[in-house]
Amino acid sequence: MSIISDDNDIQKPKEHNDGFKKNPVVKAESIEFDKNFENCIRPKSFDTYIGQSSLKETLKISIAAAKKREMPLDHLLFYGPPGLGKTTLAGVIAEQMGVDIKITSAPALERPRDIIGILMSLKGGEILFIDEIHRLNKVAEEILYPAMEDFFLDMTTGKSQTVKTLRVPLPKFTLIGATTKAGELSGPLRDRFGIIHRLEFYTEDELSQVITRTA
């Protein structure tokens, strides 16, 4: 395939100081469209989120009940193969609840202060999304137990005989965990999720809808 242009700059490319020729058509810098494109094509509501019909109906009921009680949504766990829209679905839930969402992944939470910092920065009703949650280290996982169940952080201060245990209250939040390996999730952590659901593969018709919508 050839590209024909009457631009004189293309016919006579300019030399840079480093020896490379400049192509006036191809520009390295990103434009505003590039930055916002992914956010624009991500669904913002259940009506535009294609697939996972049974899960959407369950979530609609849960969200309506949470709003009526004026309480945060119960903790959710999504599992299934990659690429089925777990992160996108978490964003839709946040949009429907009218709250902000903080997104991270378990491998990024290497030290206890990482997970503590995120939990302390949460505001009431906000959603914390942890991808690949089965890869949480044991210390971070144990910090999550009281945070999920009682909305407290158990911390210690001092050394040796002066050690004191503190219970720091947290605002009520919703944890959404996503994993591709549900079998590797520990029992105590899995039991603290109120809604656990497996994401299904898309049908050919649903894939067609996704392609048409994105195009």
Side-chain angles (χ1 to χ4, degrees):
M1 181 180 69
S2 62
I3 301 176
I4 301 174
S5 173
D6 58 356
D7 194 329
N8 293 330
D9 289 337
I10 299 180
Q11 295 173 5
K12 298 179 180 180
K14 298 177 181 179
E15 291 279 352
H16 279 285
N17 293 332
D18 54 8
F20 289 100
K21 296 179 180 180
K22 179 183 177 182
N23 188 332
V25 177
V26 180
K27 296 183 180 180
E29 64 269 18
S30 61
I31 60 176
E32 193 64 28
F33 176 80
D34 298 323
K35 297 175 183 177
N36 296 329
F37 179 69
E38 184 175 351
N39 290 331
C40 290
I41 64 173
R42 282 185 181 272
K44 302 296 183 184
S45 67
F46 289 120
D47 293 333
T48 55
Y49 184 94
I50 299 168
Q52 316 301 336
S53 301
S54 60
L55 174 56
K56 287 194 296 185
E57 292 304 316
T58 301
L59 290 175
K60 285 179 182 178
I61 295 172
S62 300
I63 290 173
K67 285 183 174 180
K68 190 172 184 179
R69 298 194 313 268
E70 296 183 352
M71 295 286 288
L73 193 63
D74 204 351
H75 304 302
L76 302 103
L77 176 65
F78 299 139
Y79 68 97
L84 296 185
K86 293 184 281 290
T87 305
T88 301
L89 189 56
V92 172
I93 293 171
E95 190 75 22
Q96 297 301 300
M97 286 294 294
V99 298
D100 292 331
I101 181 172
K102 294 187 176 180
I103 300 176
T104 186
S105 62
L109 306 174
E110 296 179 352
R111 297 162 294 185
R113 66 183 181 185
D114 296 332
I115 185 68
I116 290 174
I118 291 178
L119 291 173
M120 293 287 286
S121 68
L122 290 173
K123 298 178 182 178
E126 281 190 338
I127 292 176
L128 172 60
F129 178 79
I130 302 180
D131 199 11
E132 296 300 318
I133 196 170
H134 66 275
R135 295 178 62 183
L136 271 180
N137 63 53
K138 193 65 178 176
V139 176
E141 187 175 313
E142 290 179 353
I143 291 173
L144 271 181
Y145 293 163
M148 294 175 66
E149 198 165 14
D150 302 318
F151 302 104
F152 276 97
L153 271 179
D154 291 329
M155 304 175 66
T156 58
T157 60
K159 295 181 180 179
S160 186
Q161 297 178 351
T162 62
V163 172
K164 294 182 180 179
T165 302
L166 299 176
R167 297 209 83 189
V168 180
L170 294 172
K172 293 185 178 181
F173 68 97
T174 298
L175 174 65
I176 300 180
T179 177
T180 55
K181 299 179 180 179
E184 294 186 11
L185 212 63
S186 67
L189 181 58
R190 185 173 58 247
D191 292 342
R192 283 170 169 79
F193 287 98
I195 301 174
I196 302 176
H197 206 286
R198 182 181 189 277
L199 270 67
E200 304 293 338
F201 285 107
Y202 292 95
T203 64
E204 290 185 7
D205 181 58
E206 288 169 346
L207 287 174
S208 177
Q209 292 179 52
V210 170
I211 293 170
T212 303
R213 179 186 177 278
T214 305

